[in-house]
Amino acid sequence: MGIAAPTLLRRFAAHLSRLFGPRPTVATMEQLAAQLAAHAMFVSQKCTTEYLRLRAGVSWEALCRDPVFGDGYERSRWAAYVRSLGDVAEVCETVFRADGRSFAAIEATVPAAAEAALALYPDPKGDPSLPEAADEMRLRLARRRAEPPRSLRRIGTGSAKRIMALLPFDERLQAADLDYMANNLSFSLGQVHERLRAELDADALLQD
């Protein structure tokens, strides 16, 4: 079966970008895992620490000294990293799909790299939930792969409520700030999308 014209055009544009644009820096599974982890940490940091500091205002330092809040904060940061990693991995697959890469090659590469990225930052509280988190992320990516690629806005909106529920703040504040969180997530994932487009060496990472 021939490749559809839009896919050919996307591949041609991607090849031109590789020829005349910045040289991709992510060409191995280890580099991909490290980059997914870095991007997920960036997203989760903006959606937990920055948000909580903004919401707490001048009470931030006092809250951090509270052991109950501190414990909830540490757990929410790791859980938000896991959720953000799934979003970043989905964005990564979206970049590869837009480049016309086969589902088989994507499935053989991105979930394994995301699982390795998950292991780079284990739960600081020692919760032995890493295998469960990895399995959930693989299932999530498989479900998304069976559908048309989602917009970054839809990805961000889908994760906003889950991440808000992780934070050690009153549920009334979470409901009031849900739109803020969705916008923050969508904007951050947009930045990640553009960086991945420039960083990924699809020819080296994927074997079609």
Side-chain angles (χ1 to χ4, degrees):
M1 182 181 295
I3 299 176
T7 301
L8 284 173
L9 290 174
R10 285 196 296 266
R11 282 199 168 187
F12 180 68
H15 284 311
L16 284 180
S17 176
R18 283 192 287 270
L19 283 173
F20 300 109
R23 186 176 180 83
T25 56
V26 179
T28 67
M29 285 290 286
E30 291 78 11
Q31 291 171 342
L32 180 58
Q35 208 65 4
L36 292 179
H39 288 319
M41 189 62 69
F42 160 74
V43 174
S44 62
Q45 183 81 359
K46 286 185 67 66
C47 295
T48 54
T49 302
E50 287 190 16
Y51 167 75
L52 290 173
R53 287 178 68 96
L54 178 67
R55 235 348 178 155
V58 296
S59 301
W60 172 248
E61 291 187 5
L63 277 173
C64 287
R65 289 193 294 270
D66 180 82
V68 175
F69 177 85
D71 182 71
Y73 169 55
E74 286 300 322
R75 291 188 181 280
S76 69
R77 283 206 306 169
W78 187 79
Y81 168 73
V82 174
R83 183 69 195 185
S84 298
L85 181 59
D87 288 344
V88 168
E90 183 178 346
V91 171
C92 180
E93 291 202 1
T94 298
V95 172
F96 286 141
R97 289 173 69 171
D99 194 30
R101 303 295 169 158
S102 73
F103 282 4
I106 294 172
E107 184 177 8
T109 302
V110 178
E115 187 171 342
L118 186 61
L120 291 175
Y121 295 98
D123 185 348
K125 295 297 182 179
D127 185 359
S129 60
L130 199 64
E132 291 85 350
D135 290 342
E136 182 181 350
M137 188 163 53
R138 280 184 175 274
L139 288 173
R140 179 183 168 197
L141 290 174
R143 286 195 301 268
R144 299 308 180 199
R145 211 175 295 120
E147 304 168 349
R150 298 194 298 168
S151 68
L152 298 176
R153 174 67 187 180
R154 192 175 170 199
I155 297 173
T157 301
S159 290
K161 190 172 184 178
R162 289 175 177 267
I163 290 180
M164 286 293 285
L166 300 170
L167 302 178
F169 264 13
D170 189 279
E171 290 183 2
R172 290 169 295 180
L173 292 178
Q174 294 176 11
D177 291 340
L178 188 58
D179 284 344
Y180 170 86
M181 180 65 74
N183 290 334
N184 196 7
L185 263 170
S186 300
F187 180 75
S188 300
L189 291 173
Q191 292 178 286
V192 169
H193 181 268
E194 292 308 304
R195 290 171 184 168
L196 286 174
R197 285 183 60 194
E199 295 166 348
L200 298 177
D201 187 340
D203 290 335
L205 288 165
L206 303 179
Q207 299 297 321
D208 289 327

